[in-house]
Amino acid sequence: DVKVTQSSRYLVKRTGEKVFLECVQDMDHENMFWYRQDPGLGLRLIYFSYDVKMKEKGDIPEGYSVSREKKERFSLILESASTNQTSMYLCASSLYAYTEAFFGQGTRLTVV
Amino acid sequence: RKEVEQDPGPFNVPEGATVAFNCTYSNSASQSFFWYRQDCRKEPKLLMSVYSSGNEDGRFTAQLNRASQYISLLIRDSKLSDSATYLCAVNMGGGASKLTFGTGTRLQVTL
């Protein structure tokens, strides 16, 4: 079974803090993704990566950056957290382009 | 127009009913299609891939209509445990592995 693990289930941070969300997959998948999910807006892609050190902007990259130094690990960074970044963050991975994605359990981030 | 659209529902159906959801997509070059199930406050889980010829997995049938650019999910003999939100996902093609999701359709199965 594919395992995608996110470092935290729940996180509370203060406005202006730098926040790191970590994601690890154990199936040697090429592609990794960060989504955020908000009521009524569904899943929106923030960034994705198709190889180590490679990244592409998704639909809502503003205020976020990512890092992929190793194939199994994809980090999402909120440079200066703001209250409008309060959301559920979901990491996913897929073996190749066009194949299904598998999700981590999600991190519910609250910025106060 | 959104890239991937779903009726948000909710669809309220009695146990044993048959229910169908559609999902339309805007990019005719889309390459792959999936249905996910998401329970409240949990992550989406892959339900099934959608193949060109249509495919079935037990009580679930998925179909693709490329001409009209939609995919469908049919659930037969609904169970209480089928209550969840069903998300469609479309890979838009063009060499990218970007997977775009609809906002989901909520299903509530009742006694």
Side-chain angles (χ1 to χ4, degrees):
Chain A
D1 268 5
V2 177
K3 190 109 192 230
V4 181
T5 304
Q6 294 182 229
S7 51
S8 308
R9 290 295 300 271
Y10 299 94
L11 216 48
V12 180
K13 295 292 181 180
R14 295 194 181 279
T15 301
E17 272 193 80
K18 191 167 187 175
V19 182
F20 294 86
L21 301 183
E22 306 285 345
C23 175
V24 177
Q25 50 95 2
D26 68 355
M27 286 302 290
D28 205 34
H29 282 180
E30 291 189 355
N31 304 297
M32 295 189 76
F33 310 85
W34 276 105
Y35 291 88
R36 66 177 279 179
Q37 187 173 31
D38 301 286
L41 297 176
L43 280 156
R44 293 180 292 166
L45 183 64
I46 304 170
Y47 267 97
F48 67 100
S49 168
Y50 52 90
D51 201 351
V52 174
K53 296 192 190 295
M54 306 304 286
K55 61 186 179 188
E56 292 237 3
K57 292 180 180 178
D59 300 314
I60 51 162
E62 297 78 20
Y64 304 94
S65 61
V66 291
S67 172
R68 193 164 180 205
E69 296 296 318
K70 292 185 177 181
K71 191 173 186 180
E72 67 271 18
R73 189 178 296 269
F74 193 35
S75 303
L76 179 70
I77 302 146
L78 286 66
E79 296 292 341
S80 176
S82 63
T83 54
N84 63 13
Q85 293 178 310
T86 292
S87 187
M88 168 73 105
Y89 289 88
L90 288 153
C91 174
S93 72
S94 68
L95 181 58
Y96 301 123
Y98 313 129
T99 59
E100 64 271 23
F102 297 91
F103 283 85
Q105 77 276 30
T107 296
R108 194 164 290 277
L109 172 68
T110 302
V111 182
V112 298
Chain B
R1 184 187 170 185
K2 288 184 183 176
E3 291 181 299
V4 180
E5 286 198 80
Q6 293 183 255
D7 181 343
F11 284 56
N12 295 300
V13 302
E15 244 190 329
T18 295
V19 62
F21 310 131
N22 282 344
C23 167
T24 58
Y25 59 95
S26 61
N27 189 340
S28 59
S30 296
Q31 296 283 340
S32 53
F33 309 86
F34 308 95
W35 283 103
Y36 283 78
R37 171 197 168 120
Q38 186 173 26
D39 294 298
C40 190
R41 302 181 79 82
K42 295 283 185 83
E43 75 273 21
K45 292 191 175 169
L46 181 69
L47 183 65
M48 57 200 300
S49 302
V50 186
Y51 302 122
S52 296
S53 53
N55 47 301
E56 193 173 301
D57 183 2
R59 298 181 294 108
F60 298 84
T61 301
Q63 296 207 306
L64 167 63
N65 185 318
R66 282 198 183 272
S68 301
Q69 294 181 207
Y70 73 89
I71 62 172
S72 63
L73 178 68
L74 182 80
I75 306 175
R76 287 183 299 279
D77 188 23
S78 298
K79 314 283 184 200
L80 291 173
S81 56
D82 293 334
S83 298
T85 297
Y86 291 84
L87 304 168
C88 63
V90 178
N91 189 300
M92 292 290 167
S97 56
K98 175 181 160 179
L99 199 57
T100 300
F101 285 80
T103 52
T105 297
R106 193 161 149 250
L107 172 66
Q108 184 67 49
V109 182
T110 56
L111 286 170

